[in-house]
Amino acid sequence: MAPSPGVRAARHGVDGRRAQAFLVRERQAYIARNPRSAQCADAAGRHLLFGVPLHWMCDWGTPFALHVESARGARVTTVDGQELVDFCLGDTGAMFGHSPAPVVAALQRQAERGLTTMLATADAAEVGRLLAERFGLPCWQFALSATDANRYVVRWIRAATGRKKLLVFNGCYHGTIDDVFVDLVDGHPVQRPSLLGQVHDLTAHTVVVEFNDLPALEAALASGEVACVLAEPVMTNIGMVQPAPGYWEAARALIRHHGSLLVMDETHCISAGPGGYARAHGIETDAIVLGKPVGGGLPCAVYGMSAELAERAVAAKRAAPPGHSGIGTTLTGNMLATAAMRAALSEVMTPAAYAHMFALADELASGIRALIGRHRLPWSVTQVGARVEFQFTPQVPRNGSEAGRALDSDLEHLIHLGLLNRGVMITPFHNMMLVCPQTTPDDVGRLLAALDEVLGQIVPA
């Protein structure tokens, strides 16, 4: 991995020279602590593109990719025997802890009885019932990832409504569904230049507005061409952006008035409660997407629809010519994933688990605010249930543009590397942290102590 340019100038309340010297020391410490990871990275570099199975695994700001031996509960053990307290949790994929026992048991039972058949199982019906009970939408389908689920639900809605356009919020992220890679630049929609290999003009069918801007939302919906609004109830992937008070109530009324539908992507916001943010806050949706954590870490996802949307989707399918719908794969709803989802929904994602997570996340958020104040940093903290984030801005962002301006990947990587070297891991993308049912008060204390030590090394003396 190429070295990070580091933090050379004073910014965000950090002393540039002290931070750069700290970065040099931390990179040397990382190399010394992880010789086996270095060997694995060297071997992987011979055959794996970028030396890792997925190039995102290079985004940690480390001298070479960290390699893991095992993961259990709130702990990750590296190939060098280093035990890390994990607040990343697979970037939400393991939000309820690594290898939760009920999911492991379900996988072991199912593995002896078949992995995939492209046929339904009794587990599938029970998963559908559990989802309907939990989220309040009656009709569900499965997918292999939230990306797939978002792509599929948008296809269903376009087919059901006869409308072509999708509306998203600036700075959004809904997996790698191509349609959402459109940003606002100086108020104009621009296809995101980082999107590799895209040959079609996404702006022809994707409308983008700022989050929390009701006049912009109304203006965009007024054409009557928008099939659906695809949104996270709280933006989470550009740094967290909370909805302003009353925003979703007013936005929901506008969406309905203009004949569009509302899809909530709860993949990250499931941190807000057992039924996600929308259910917890009384936001009425037409469809919901949930990926990553719903199978306890196994690749799977789900999407649900209101009865009205489901009826229109079924009618659209029956009216279409025979052939592939462009929705689904042969592994969708496979036996192994379905068994995992049943176990996760019924035995892992429980109210008791959430109560534990919320209490510790509150403690974590309060502790970070205290550290920010003690070190006199112009930063802020945002929390959505079990999800906590600190951002390099004194006021919490109101939209994607403000959140984007607060991002500083060099400073993030420096902090994350310092935490790794002190036995604590947070998400490599911005400064997001999750607590899981296995996280302890001591774990939170360890993270706060490590962050305090790191900040003490990089703020002005």
Side-chain angles (χ1 to χ4, degrees):
M1 181 184 302
S4 168
V7 180
R8 300 182 184 277
R11 58 186 190 244
H12 304 302
V14 170
D15 184 312
R17 275 193 258 183
R18 296 193 78 206
Q20 188 62 29
F22 175 77
L23 176 61
V24 171
R25 294 194 301 272
E26 293 302 308
R27 290 175 66 83
Q28 292 170 345
Y30 179 89
I31 292 168
R33 284 168 57 90
N34 297 288
R36 178 65 181 141
S37 267
Q39 294 170 359
C40 291
D42 181 66
R46 301 170 197 169
H47 301 291
L48 300 182
L49 198 64
F50 299 101
V52 285
L54 170 65
H55 69 274
W56 299 1
M57 295 176 184
C58 292
D59 288 348
W60 291 83
T62 53
F64 45 80
L66 189 68
H67 283 67
V68 172
E69 177 68 29
S70 64
R72 296 285 185 276
R75 297 288 190 278
V76 165
T77 303
T78 73
V79 294
D80 288 284
Q82 306 285 348
E83 185 179 82
L84 305 173
V85 182
D86 187 8
F87 288 88
C88 171
L89 297 171
D91 191 24
T92 311
M95 194 180 96
F96 297 95
H98 296 287
S99 296
V103 174
V104 171
L107 293 175
Q108 290 172 337
R109 288 193 302 269
Q110 187 59 52
E112 296 179 350
R113 297 158 51 195
L115 305 179
T116 187
T117 58
M118 211 179 74
L119 295 168
T121 63
D123 280 343
E126 180 62 8
V127 169
R129 185 191 70 79
L130 291 167
L131 290 168
E133 180 181 83
R134 181 178 291 254
F135 293 98
L137 293 179
C139 300
W140 292 82
Q141 287 279 270
F142 301 168
L144 286 178
S145 69
T147 291
D148 282 346
N150 278 313
R151 182 182 296 117
Y152 300 159
V153 79
V154 168
R155 277 187 176 272
W156 281 120
I157 290 173
R158 282 172 166 160
T161 64
R163 296 182 177 189
K164 296 181 179 179
K165 291 193 174 182
L166 169 69
L167 188 147
V168 295
F169 293 102
N170 186 38
C172 73
Y173 180 78
H174 299 284
T176 53
I177 170 175
D178 290 354
D179 307 62
V180 305
F181 283 80
V182 178
D183 295 326
L184 280 178
V185 178
D186 297 326
H188 301 287
V190 175
Q191 190 160 302
R192 198 171 298 174
S194 61
L195 182 60
L196 295 176
Q198 177 56 252
V199 297
H200 302 294
D201 179 11
L202 299 179
T203 62
H205 295 109
T206 299
V207 180
V208 58
V209 301
E210 292 285 12
F211 195 59
N212 280 324
D213 188 338
L214 287 170
L217 177 64
E218 183 168 25
L221 293 169
S223 68
E225 298 176 304
V226 174
C228 66
V229 174
L230 174 60
E232 290 184 292
V234 176
M235 295 185 73
T236 66
N237 214 68
I238 195 165
M240 283 203 282
V241 182
Q242 297 266 19
Y247 174 74
W248 274 121
E249 181 181 8
R252 184 69 184 91
L254 288 174
I255 293 165
R256 177 167 289 171
H257 174 74
H258 290 286
S260 301
L261 301 179
L262 175 60
V263 183
M264 284 296 193
D265 183 346
E266 293 272 14
T267 300
H268 284 174
C269 294
I270 191 68
S271 64
Y277 188 99
R279 195 84 192 269
H281 292 266
I283 305 168
E284 185 180 349
T285 65
D286 298 294
I288 283 175
V289 167
L290 177 60
K292 295 181 184 178
V294 71
L298 204 71
C300 54
V302 296
Y303 58 100
M305 303 179 184
S306 67
E308 180 185 359
L309 174 56
E311 182 179 355
R312 294 168 73 182
V314 169
K317 171 59 180 166
R318 288 177 174 164
H324 201 300
S325 63
I327 297 171
T329 67
T330 54
L331 289 176
T332 297
N334 67 77
M335 300 163 79
L336 201 63
T338 305
M341 286 191 285
R342 180 173 183 174
L345 289 164
S346 60
E347 301 180 69
V348 178
M349 301 167 64
T350 64
Y354 274 97
H356 173 87
M357 294 155 69
F358 287 174
L360 286 185
D362 288 345
E363 184 178 326
L364 176 60
S366 295
I368 295 176
R369 288 189 182 99
L371 290 179
I372 289 171
R374 183 156 67 249
H375 290 283
R376 300 182 180 181
L377 288 163
W379 301 357
S380 55
V381 177
T382 311
Q383 180 183 358
V384 178
R387 181 180 299 272
V388 177
E389 180 151 358
F390 58 91
Q391 292 165 278
F392 305 138
T393 175
Q395 302 296 326
V396 294
R398 295 169 299 175
N399 55 48
S401 290
E402 291 185 7
R405 286 193 291 270
L407 296 177
D408 186 331
S409 60
D410 291 337
L411 180 55
E412 291 162 12
H413 285 166
L414 178 151
I415 293 171
H416 302 168
L417 178 59
L419 294 177
L420 273 177
N421 284 340
R422 288 155 182 79
V424 178
M425 181 165 63
I426 70 173
T427 303
F429 319 116
H430 35 97
N431 301 303
M432 194 276 293
M433 296 149 284
L434 285 162
V435 298
C436 70
Q438 297 81 25
T439 306
T440 68
D442 285 345
D443 295 336
V444 171
R446 186 171 174 182
L447 171 54
L448 293 173
L451 182 58
D452 190 21
E453 184 177 341
V454 170
L455 296 180
Q457 296 288 321
I458 63 176
V459 299

